[in-house]
Amino acid sequence: MKKLFLALAFLMVLVCQGQSYTYTGKVVKIKDGDTITVLDTLNNQNTVRLAGVDAPEKKQEFGNVAKQFVSQEIFGKTVTVKIISVDIFKRPVGYVIYDDNINLSEVLLTRGLAWQFYDKSEYFKSLQDTAIHNRAGLWVLKDPVAPWLFRHPKKPSKKPSEAMAKA
């Protein structure tokens, strides 16, 4: 446990200094379409949140499709993880590279199995726009709901005057 804490502390120092951290490991768990667990060379299990994308939640349409796709692509494989930040839950956020330089975040966007998230690059935007145009994956839905909206839906007003004003 101490070894894991020291590794996480070191990682956070690097990321706070604007540096990235890269390591190689075997994918041992797929939590959902954008979160995986990688066993590194020191036998530490590292939860990694994919950078640049947000996949549908498990209870959303295409949530299980995204998870299954990620599982078929990388489960049991050796991947390279390039950590670029740490999220608000203190999870490392990074790009996962596999099979001779394939970026999993890019593939999820191309297949229409995730939304562009935090990564504001024109490249990621173009991947998502192409998926939308081609009605790939979740873009076949009439009104797909972004995962961040699904997780935190707007609560109805409790004030009667506000409810009446909207009616």
Side-chain angles (χ1 to χ4, degrees):
M1 185 67 172
K2 184 178 179 183
K3 192 167 58 168
L4 180 61
F5 174 76
L6 290 173
L8 185 58
F10 175 72
L11 172 64
M12 291 183 76
V13 167
L14 283 176
V15 170
C16 288
Q17 293 175 347
Q19 299 177 30
S20 63
Y21 172 73
T22 302
Y23 68 94
T24 302
K26 182 178 180 178
V27 178
V28 294
K29 184 176 181 181
I30 308 299
K31 291 189 172 190
D32 59 29
D34 56 29
T35 308
I36 64 172
T37 302
V38 178
L39 184 67
D40 66 21
T41 56
L42 299 174
N43 285 330
N44 292 319
Q45 289 191 18
N46 304 289
T47 298
V48 178
R49 172 73 170 74
L50 294 180
V53 297
D54 197 1
E57 296 295 320
K58 289 183 219 177
K59 293 183 179 181
Q60 275 186 275
E61 289 185 89
F62 282 87
N64 285 324
V65 173
K67 179 182 178 181
Q68 186 64 33
F69 177 80
V70 170
S71 183
Q72 290 171 348
E73 286 294 292
I74 64 170
F75 183 76
K77 290 185 178 182
T78 298
V79 298
T80 299
V81 180
K82 181 180 180 184
I83 302 299
I84 60 165
S85 66
V86 176
D87 70 10
I88 62 171
F89 304 107
K90 296 186 173 60
R91 293 179 301 188
V93 176
Y95 294 103
V96 174
I97 311 300
Y98 65 105
D99 290 350
D100 296 327
N101 216 24
I102 298 173
N103 181 325
L104 183 57
S105 296
E106 293 174 5
V107 175
L108 285 168
L109 285 172
T110 302
R111 298 287 179 108
L113 296 175
W115 277 258
Q116 178 184 13
F117 192 67
Y118 283 123
D119 182 312
K120 303 294 185 200
S121 72
E122 284 299 315
Y123 176 63
F124 269 35
K125 182 180 181 329
S126 72
L127 293 176
Q128 179 174 296
D129 288 346
T130 300
I132 291 169
H133 177 77
N134 293 336
R135 298 183 52 76
L138 62 90
W139 302 112
V140 301
L141 300 173
K142 183 178 179 186
D143 291 312
V145 176
W148 56 90
L149 296 176
F150 182 83
R151 288 189 294 267
H152 306 288
K154 291 191 180 214
K155 295 179 181 172
S157 171
K158 295 187 182 208
K159 295 180 184 177
S161 59
E162 289 181 14
M164 294 299 279
K166 292 180 181 178

